[in-house]
Short mmCIF file of all heavy atoms in Angstrom, two decimals:
data_model
loop_
_atom_site.label_atom_id
_atom_site.label_comp_id
_atom_site.label_asym_id
_atom_site.label_seq_id
_atom_site.Cartn_x
_atom_site.Cartn_y
_atom_site.Cartn_z
N SER K 86 56.45 167.68 -72.63
CA SER K 86 55.81 168.05 -71.36
C SER K 86 54.34 168.39 -71.52
O SER K 86 53.59 168.34 -70.55
CB SER K 86 56.54 169.26 -70.74
OG SER K 86 56.50 170.37 -71.63
N GLU K 87 53.90 168.73 -72.74
CA GLU K 87 52.51 169.11 -72.96
C GLU K 87 52.08 168.70 -74.35
O GLU K 87 52.90 168.43 -75.23
CB GLU K 87 52.34 170.63 -72.78
CG GLU K 87 53.19 171.46 -73.73
CD GLU K 87 53.04 172.95 -73.50
OE1 GLU K 87 52.38 173.33 -72.51
OE2 GLU K 87 53.57 173.73 -74.31
N HIS K 88 50.76 168.67 -74.51
CA HIS K 88 50.19 168.30 -75.81
C HIS K 88 50.33 169.47 -76.78
O HIS K 88 50.02 170.62 -76.45
CB HIS K 88 48.72 167.93 -75.64
CG HIS K 88 48.02 167.69 -76.93
ND1 HIS K 88 48.35 166.65 -77.78
CD2 HIS K 88 47.01 168.38 -77.54
CE1 HIS K 88 47.57 166.69 -78.85
NE2 HIS K 88 46.76 167.74 -78.72
N ARG K 89 50.81 169.18 -77.99
CA ARG K 89 51.05 170.22 -78.98
C ARG K 89 50.20 170.06 -80.23
O ARG K 89 49.93 171.02 -80.93
CB ARG K 89 52.53 170.24 -79.40
CG ARG K 89 53.47 170.57 -78.25
CD ARG K 89 54.93 170.53 -78.69
NE ARG K 89 55.82 170.92 -77.61
CZ ARG K 89 56.16 172.18 -77.35
NH1 ARG K 89 55.67 173.16 -78.09
NH2 ARG K 89 56.96 172.48 -76.34
N GLY K 90 49.81 168.87 -80.56
CA GLY K 90 49.07 168.64 -81.80
C GLY K 90 49.99 168.33 -82.96
O GLY K 90 49.76 167.40 -83.73
N VAL K 91 51.08 169.12 -83.12
CA VAL K 91 52.10 168.89 -84.15
C VAL K 91 53.45 168.83 -83.45
O VAL K 91 53.84 169.77 -82.75
CB VAL K 91 52.09 170.00 -85.21
CG1 VAL K 91 53.18 169.75 -86.24
CG2 VAL K 91 50.73 170.08 -85.90
N TYR K 92 54.17 167.73 -83.65
CA TYR K 92 55.46 167.51 -83.01
C TYR K 92 56.53 167.43 -84.10
O TYR K 92 56.48 166.55 -84.97
CB TYR K 92 55.45 166.22 -82.18
CG TYR K 92 54.35 166.18 -81.13
CD1 TYR K 92 53.07 165.74 -81.46
CD2 TYR K 92 54.60 166.58 -79.83
CE1 TYR K 92 52.07 165.71 -80.50
CE2 TYR K 92 53.60 166.55 -78.86
CZ TYR K 92 52.34 166.11 -79.20
OH TYR K 92 51.35 166.08 -78.26
N CYS K 93 57.52 168.33 -84.05
CA CYS K 93 58.58 168.39 -85.05
C CYS K 93 59.93 168.10 -84.40
O CYS K 93 60.17 168.51 -83.25
CB CYS K 93 58.61 169.75 -85.73
SG CYS K 93 57.13 170.12 -86.72
N VAL K 94 60.79 167.42 -85.14
CA VAL K 94 62.13 167.08 -84.67
C VAL K 94 63.14 167.38 -85.77
O VAL K 94 62.83 167.29 -86.97
CB VAL K 94 62.22 165.59 -84.25
CG1 VAL K 94 61.34 165.32 -83.05
CG2 VAL K 94 61.84 164.67 -85.41
N ASN K 95 64.36 167.72 -85.36
CA ASN K 95 65.50 167.94 -86.26
C ASN K 95 66.58 166.94 -85.89
O ASN K 95 67.00 166.88 -84.73
CB ASN K 95 66.01 169.37 -86.15
CG ASN K 95 64.97 170.39 -86.54
OD1 ASN K 95 64.27 170.23 -87.53
ND2 ASN K 95 64.86 171.47 -85.76
N LEU K 96 67.05 166.18 -86.88
CA LEU K 96 68.03 165.13 -86.61
C LEU K 96 69.34 165.43 -87.32
O LEU K 96 69.36 165.81 -88.50
CB LEU K 96 67.50 163.77 -87.08
CG LEU K 96 66.26 163.24 -86.37
CD1 LEU K 96 65.00 163.58 -87.16
CD2 LEU K 96 66.35 161.72 -86.19
N THR K 97 70.43 165.25 -86.59
CA THR K 97 71.79 165.35 -87.13
C THR K 97 72.59 164.17 -86.60
O THR K 97 72.25 163.60 -85.54
CB THR K 97 72.46 166.67 -86.72
OG1 THR K 97 72.46 166.76 -85.28
CG2 THR K 97 71.72 167.86 -87.30
N GLY K 98 73.65 163.80 -87.30
CA GLY K 98 74.46 162.68 -86.85
C GLY K 98 75.73 162.55 -87.66
O GLY K 98 75.91 163.21 -88.69
N LYS K 99 76.60 161.64 -87.22
CA LYS K 99 77.86 161.39 -87.92
C LYS K 99 78.44 160.05 -87.48
O LYS K 99 78.17 159.56 -86.38
CB LYS K 99 78.85 162.52 -87.67
CG LYS K 99 79.23 162.70 -86.20
CD LYS K 99 80.20 163.86 -86.03
CE LYS K 99 80.58 164.05 -84.57
NZ LYS K 99 81.57 165.15 -84.39
N PHE K 100 79.25 159.49 -88.39
CA PHE K 100 80.05 158.30 -88.09
C PHE K 100 81.50 158.77 -87.90
O PHE K 100 82.20 159.05 -88.87
CB PHE K 100 79.98 157.30 -89.24
CG PHE K 100 78.66 156.61 -89.37
CD1 PHE K 100 77.70 157.10 -90.23
CD2 PHE K 100 78.38 155.46 -88.64
CE1 PHE K 100 76.47 156.46 -90.37
CE2 PHE K 100 77.15 154.82 -88.77
CZ PHE K 100 76.20 155.33 -89.63
N GLY K 101 81.91 158.86 -86.65
CA GLY K 101 83.26 159.39 -86.41
C GLY K 101 83.33 160.83 -86.87
O GLY K 101 82.69 161.72 -86.31
N GLN K 102 84.14 161.08 -87.97
CA GLN K 102 84.28 162.42 -88.52
C GLN K 102 83.52 162.57 -89.84
O GLN K 102 83.72 163.56 -90.56
CB GLN K 102 85.77 162.73 -88.74
CG GLN K 102 86.57 162.72 -87.44
CD GLN K 102 88.04 163.02 -87.67
OE1 GLN K 102 88.47 163.32 -88.78
NE2 GLN K 102 88.83 162.96 -86.60
N ARG K 103 82.65 161.61 -90.14
CA ARG K 103 81.87 161.67 -91.38
C ARG K 103 80.44 162.09 -91.04
O ARG K 103 79.69 161.32 -90.45
CB ARG K 103 81.89 160.30 -92.07
CG ARG K 103 83.23 159.95 -92.70
CD ARG K 103 83.40 158.46 -92.90
NE ARG K 103 83.57 157.78 -91.63
CZ ARG K 103 83.91 156.50 -91.52
NH1 ARG K 103 84.10 155.78 -92.60
NH2 ARG K 103 84.06 155.96 -90.33
N PRO K 104 80.05 163.30 -91.40
CA PRO K 104 78.74 163.83 -90.98
C PRO K 104 77.62 163.36 -91.90
O PRO K 104 77.84 162.92 -93.03
CB PRO K 104 78.95 165.34 -91.07
CG PRO K 104 79.95 165.51 -92.17
CD PRO K 104 80.86 164.31 -92.10
N LEU K 105 76.39 163.50 -91.37
CA LEU K 105 75.16 163.25 -92.12
C LEU K 105 74.44 164.58 -92.34
O LEU K 105 74.47 165.46 -91.49
CB LEU K 105 74.24 162.29 -91.37
CG LEU K 105 74.76 160.89 -91.07
CD1 LEU K 105 73.75 160.13 -90.24
CD2 LEU K 105 75.07 160.14 -92.35
N ASN K 106 73.79 164.68 -93.48
CA ASN K 106 72.98 165.87 -93.74
C ASN K 106 71.83 165.94 -92.72
O ASN K 106 71.19 164.93 -92.44
CB ASN K 106 72.39 165.83 -95.14
CG ASN K 106 73.39 166.31 -96.17
OD1 ASN K 106 74.16 167.23 -95.91
ND2 ASN K 106 73.39 165.70 -97.34
N PRO K 107 71.54 167.10 -92.16
CA PRO K 107 70.42 167.23 -91.21
C PRO K 107 69.09 166.88 -91.89
O PRO K 107 68.93 167.05 -93.09
CB PRO K 107 70.48 168.71 -90.79
CG PRO K 107 71.85 169.16 -91.12
CD PRO K 107 72.26 168.38 -92.33
N ARG K 108 68.17 166.39 -91.07
CA ARG K 108 66.84 166.07 -91.57
C ARG K 108 65.80 166.52 -90.55
O ARG K 108 65.99 166.37 -89.34
CB ARG K 108 66.68 164.56 -91.84
CG ARG K 108 65.27 164.16 -92.27
CD ARG K 108 65.21 162.70 -92.63
NE ARG K 108 65.90 162.43 -93.86
CZ ARG K 108 65.39 162.57 -95.08
NH1 ARG K 108 64.14 163.01 -95.22
NH2 ARG K 108 66.08 162.30 -96.15
N SER K 109 64.71 167.07 -91.06
CA SER K 109 63.59 167.51 -90.22
C SER K 109 62.35 166.70 -90.57
O SER K 109 62.12 166.37 -91.73
CB SER K 109 63.31 169.00 -90.41
OG SER K 109 64.43 169.77 -90.04
N SER K 110 61.56 166.41 -89.54
CA SER K 110 60.34 165.63 -89.74
C SER K 110 59.33 166.02 -88.67
O SER K 110 59.71 166.40 -87.55
CB SER K 110 60.63 164.13 -89.69
OG SER K 110 59.48 163.38 -89.96
N CYS K 111 58.04 165.91 -89.02
CA CYS K 111 56.96 166.29 -88.09
C CYS K 111 55.90 165.20 -88.04
O CYS K 111 55.67 164.49 -89.02
CB CYS K 111 56.32 167.61 -88.52
SG CYS K 111 57.41 169.06 -88.41
#
């Protein structure tokens, strides 16, 4: 919604019941 200068995201996911380790990136 607004300009931040630094944009960070946290990603999680899974295939069915097999999870993925979370990852963060900016």
Side-chain angles (χ1 to χ4, degrees):
S86 60
E87 60 182 7
H88 173 65
R89 297 178 177 273
V91 178
Y92 304 86
C93 295
V94 295
N95 299 317
L96 296 96
T97 57
K99 61 181 180 178
F100 289 94
Q102 298 180 4
R103 288 158 289 189
L105 299 176
N106 278 324
R108 176 175 289 276
S109 299
S110 184
C111 294

